[in-house]
Amino acid sequence: MTNQDILRIALEQSALDCNCSPEDFLSFENKVVLSRENEKARVYVPLPLECDLVSYGNNIVAQCSERMRETVAWYIGKYPVEHCFESPHVIALNERLAAFGCKVCFMAEYFLPDLNQLKELPCPYEMRMLHQKDFSAYYTSEWSNALCEKRKHLDVLGVGAFDGEKLIGLAGCSRDCESMYQIGIDVLPEYRRQGIASAITAKLALEVLKLGKVPFYCAAWSNLKSVRNALRSGFRPAWVELTARSSEYVDQMNV
């Protein structure tokens, strides 16, 4: 697999998620499409979506409901691509969404491995490969980024860092779609800043590639610790995404 293969697979998956063609993300013209259900989309994406903006850098592909089409087209046509994913312009979108009972909810950056940078990294503690059967004791708050209790059946592979028999760091990957596995990472607070996170993230990414799947990594822009880990581990920014959800959903998250 090459970096070009990895990007192609990611574009193909984004096209399944967004009801468009992979080439649409490489255009220099924005595109608005109707959001539709797709059984091959990432499992945690609740299609159809009212408003979802995706950019690989050149343009924006916006999937939306029919009732949102005019508003979404206005927004991505008014501001430069990069500014559509940040304040103050995102506030203008949020104000328009209010009329539809929606609010801006998720804003994130996604990373893909750079095969010119990805490699095994040293870890001051023993690293062990873990499989689905090994995860049962670790569905706790300490490991909630690495594992997902609501979708246990998708947690397929992990790399644990151990101090003796104590798990101190865990990178886990979820089978979010057929071709791509998402990596999540947790390290106990007292063991951080020792290179554990990057070592287990890189090792897991390499193992996922051996399976013929593409590992990917997601972080909020403001989560600098996570972004730095992605970069140290051999990942590079690939695409950004902004998703609106119902006002009730967002308000419940803010309780």
Side-chain angles (χ1 to χ4, degrees), residues 3-108:
N3 281 340
Q4 290 72 27
D5 293 328
I6 288 172
L7 177 60
R8 174 184 53 80
I9 290 169
L11 290 168
E12 289 173 350
Q13 184 59 48
S14 289
L16 294 172
D17 297 338
C18 296
N19 189 35
C20 66
S21 300
E23 296 76 18
D24 290 334
F25 298 102
L26 303 178
S27 171
F28 286 93
E29 294 183 1
N30 293 331
K31 182 161 188 172
V32 179
V33 298
L34 288 181
S35 183
R36 300 188 187 282
E37 292 184 11
N38 190 328
E39 64 180 12
K40 294 183 178 181
R42 286 172 289 159
V43 294
Y44 57 87
V45 180
L47 296 175
L49 291 168
E50 289 278 10
C51 173
D52 181 69
L53 313 182
V54 175
S55 177
Y56 276 76
N58 289 345
N59 69 343
I60 296 175
V61 173
Q63 63 169 320
C64 63
S65 61
E66 181 63 55
R67 68 178 186 146
M68 287 263 196
R69 184 191 288 269
E70 184 176 347
T71 294
V72 169
W74 162 80
Y75 181 67
I76 66 175
K78 183 174 177 61
Y79 303 112
V81 170
E82 61 274 19
H83 296 317
C84 284
F85 295 86
E86 64 180 12
S87 60
H89 300 323
V90 73
I91 296 171
L93 174 62
N94 206 50
E95 290 173 347
R96 295 287 184 108
L97 292 175
F100 302 96
C102 295
K103 296 179 179 179
V104 172
C105 186
F106 299 115
M107 300 167 63

Side-chain angles (χ1 to χ4, degrees), residues 1 9 177-181 205 208-215:
M1 193 177 295
I9 290 169
C177 53
E178 177 59 32
S179 60
M180 301 179 71
Y181 290 0
V208 171
L209 287 166
K210 289 178 184 177
L211 298 176
K213 308 297 182 180
V214 171

Side-chain angles (χ1 to χ4, degrees), residues 75-230:
Y75 181 67
I76 66 175
K78 183 174 177 61
Y79 303 112
V81 170
E82 61 274 19
H83 296 317
C84 284
F85 295 86
E86 64 180 12
S87 60
H89 300 323
V90 73
I91 296 171
L93 174 62
N94 206 50
E95 290 173 347
R96 295 287 184 108
L97 292 175
F100 302 96
C102 295
K103 296 179 179 179
V104 172
C105 186
F106 299 115
M107 300 167 63
E109 185 171 15
Y110 289 82
F111 300 77
L112 292 172
D114 179 350
L115 299 185
N116 296 316
Q117 300 295 325
L118 181 65
K119 61 183 179 181
E120 292 233 12
L121 298 173
C123 182
Y125 296 91
E126 179 190 1
M127 293 189 290
R128 302 177 193 169
M129 294 303 306
L130 301 173
H131 299 84
Q132 203 168 54
K133 61 182 176 59
D134 303 311
F135 294 148
S136 58
Y138 302 127
Y139 285 101
T140 60
S141 59
E142 291 93 340
W143 315 113
S144 59
N145 290 310
L147 302 173
C148 180
E149 188 169 15
K150 292 181 180 179
R151 297 189 293 270
K152 292 181 179 180
H153 63 290
L154 299 178
D155 293 331
V156 293
L157 193 65
V159 175
F162 287 83
D163 184 356
E165 292 304 309
K166 178 182 178 181
L167 181 67
I168 60 171
L170 177 61
C173 66
S174 173
R175 189 179 64 247
D176 289 347
C177 53
E178 177 59 32
S179 60
M180 301 179 71
Y181 290 0
Q182 182 171 192
I183 290 179
I185 177 75
D186 289 293
V187 176
L188 296 180
E190 61 270 29
Y191 288 90
R192 293 173 185 168
R193 302 183 68 83
Q194 300 182 55
I196 297 170
S198 56
I200 58 179
T201 301
K203 185 171 181 60
L204 181 57
L206 289 166
E207 293 297 325
V208 171
L209 287 166
K210 289 178 184 177
L211 298 176
K213 308 297 182 180
V214 171
F216 71 104
Y217 188 109
C218 177
W221 295 299
S222 57
N223 191 345
L224 295 182
K225 291 185 294 184
S226 186
V227 171
R228 288 171 184 147
N229 180 58

